[in-house]
Amino acid sequence: DIANRSISIYHWNWDKPVEYVTRESERCGNKKITKYFLLSVFPDGSMDYYKIEDDTSELYQRYESVFTNYKSSVFEPELLISTQDYQALISDSKMMVLPDLKELDFRLNAYRKDKEISKSKLTRLLKSFVETNEEYREEIERILKNLNKNTYQYQEVVRKASKAGNPPLINLATSLGRKFVKHCRDTSRVVFNPCLKSDVVKVFQHIYTLKDEEDSKKLYYYVGKKEPMKFTLVNACHIRRITVLEGALDDDFKKFIFDQLSVNFIRNNDYTVVPFLRKYIEEFKKLNSQ
């Protein structure tokens, strides 16, 4: 794509030229030098690349105004997208999406693997669970039939089965295990297992948008993971802001932007945090610096 200056592995379907602009600043002695990098993409998928470093030019001043005016202690402009009737600025932020910390604190404090539950209470939980999960009735009835102790440690009830030691009553690695843990936590505040990864990952999958109720020209989004099993809590997602400078963030333009976050050839089939054309700008920069 870069060598031929043409997009070949992505179906480009915007019928007007589009410009993508990024900024790069570095200090040279006491002076800060700022450059702008522009990638133009045409309706046929062909591309042109430019570096703009003459700070007296009208084009430089135009970009400088946008990137400077929308920079704040929270937001850092990343990518300016311009096409006929539309212009939008994507900014990174210092805000991140995290799981509910109160819920997290509750689960961690409520769970101890050696904590005990009585046979009668466990029986009630199993019976109430099967009332809304009929597909597990046969398994639950088998478990109820085999309850032969007055009390059970939490780790004896639900955990991931291992080769060492006796197996639990319910294997946490199964859908039954995960659903039963959630049922007990939601209905009785009994935490057999925090299940942090399997629950929290739902918050971080896919691309989520958050409306600005006070300003229709702004939209916030964060980008999760396509593969939940690769997720870890340290990978909290940055919230990014789209600010509409010209036109409106209608469905067509919004789809045009977000489709470019879900390509499968930039980050090993995962989402990109900004439209993938920024990666092309970086590739052009490397090519022109050689």
Side-chain angles (χ1 to χ4, degrees):
D1 280 16
I2 302 302
N4 297 320
R5 290 181 173 253
S6 180
I7 296 175
S8 62
I9 55 176
Y10 179 82
H11 179 61
W12 189 259
N13 58 0
W14 196 256
D15 61 357
K16 303 290 190 301
V18 187
E19 290 184 350
Y20 297 83
V21 178
T22 63
R23 178 169 75 166
E24 182 181 281
S25 296
E26 60 181 359
R27 288 214 164 269
C28 185
N30 295 325
K31 186 178 180 181
K32 186 171 81 169
I33 298 175
T34 299
K35 302 173 186 177
Y36 291 92
F37 303 92
L38 185 154
L39 182 71
S40 294
V41 183
F42 300 96
D44 63 357
S46 60
M47 298 183 289
D48 275 340
Y49 166 79
Y50 308 93
K51 180 168 65 174
I52 304 158
E53 48 190 339
D54 178 4
D55 60 8
T56 64
S57 71
E58 181 182 343
L59 196 57
Y60 183 101
Q61 293 294 333
R62 187 194 312 165
Y63 296 142
E64 180 75 1
S65 174
V66 172
F67 278 77
T68 301
N69 289 341
Y70 287 91
K71 178 181 171 63
S72 70
S73 59
V74 177
F75 293 98
E76 179 71 39
E78 279 187 291
L79 185 67
L80 179 65
I81 305 172
S82 306
T83 186
Q84 182 177 316
D85 300 325
Y86 300 98
Q87 187 176 61
L89 178 67
I90 297 179
S91 301
D92 193 6
S93 82
K94 293 181 179 178
M95 300 183 292
M96 293 188 293
V97 181
L98 289 169
D100 186 326
L101 297 183
K102 288 184 178 179
E103 176 69 13
L104 187 63
D105 182 66
F106 159 69
R107 294 190 199 181
L108 293 176
N109 286 322
Y111 173 71
R112 287 201 324 271
K113 63 182 181 180
D114 58 349
K115 196 171 182 178
E116 293 188 340
I117 184 171
S118 67
K119 176 182 176 180
S120 58
K121 186 172 183 178
L122 178 57
T123 298
R124 287 197 301 272
L125 288 172
L126 289 165
K127 287 182 176 179
S128 66
F129 171 76
V130 83
E131 287 176 2
T132 54
N133 294 273
E134 186 66 30
E135 68 272 26
Y136 299 109
R137 178 171 293 279
E138 187 175 328
E139 291 178 80
I140 296 300
E141 288 181 348
R142 176 182 55 78
I143 293 169
L144 287 168
K145 186 177 180 180
N146 291 326
L147 292 180
N148 56 10
K149 295 168 59 175
N150 291 328
T151 60
Y152 286 84
Q153 289 185 345
Y154 278 20
Q155 65 178 341
E156 295 179 286
V157 179
V158 185
R159 74 167 192 278
K160 287 186 178 179
S162 63
K163 294 180 180 179
N166 295 323
L169 296 174
I170 301 173
N171 187 346
L172 183 62
T174 64
S175 60
L176 166 60
R178 291 189 293 272
K179 288 183 179 180
F180 180 67
V181 166
K182 185 177 187 307
H183 170 81
C184 296
R185 196 172 61 229
D186 292 348
T187 62
S188 305
R189 304 297 275 174
V190 173
V191 182
F192 282 116
N193 192 290
C195 279
L196 298 178
K197 184 173 179 179
S198 60
D199 289 346
V200 171
V201 73
K202 295 175 184 176
V203 178
F204 293 96
Q205 272 187 276
H206 311 302
I207 300 167
Y208 288 91
T209 58
L210 313 163
K211 290 183 178 179
D212 188 322
E213 299 298 336
E214 297 181 359
D215 190 344
S216 61
K217 293 285 188 179
K218 293 177 182 176
L219 181 74
Y220 299 85
Y221 74 92
Y222 62 93
V223 178
K225 306 281 288 182
K226 283 185 181 177
E227 297 293 336
M229 295 308 292
K230 295 180 181 178
F231 178 81
T232 58
L233 276 176
V234 295
N235 293 333
C237 302
H238 279 233
I239 295 176
R240 282 174 164 78
R241 182 179 71 186
I242 299 176
T243 305
V244 180
L245 307 181
E246 293 180 15
L249 195 60
D250 56 30
D251 290 342
D252 287 341
F253 191 51
K254 189 160 49 176
K255 184 177 186 303
F256 172 71
I257 292 175
F258 286 123
D259 280 354
Q260 294 173 43
L261 305 182
S262 57
V263 297
N264 59 8
F265 51 85
I266 297 293
R267 296 183 62 234
N268 294 325
N269 292 318
D270 219 330
Y271 298 117
T272 63
V273 294
V274 293
F276 73 90
L277 277 304
R278 185 180 69 171
K279 173 69 172 175
Y280 282 15
I281 292 176
E282 296 302 316
E283 293 296 329
F284 272 117
K285 283 163 63 177
K286 291 178 184 177
L287 191 65
N288 282 268
S289 65
Q290 293 176 355

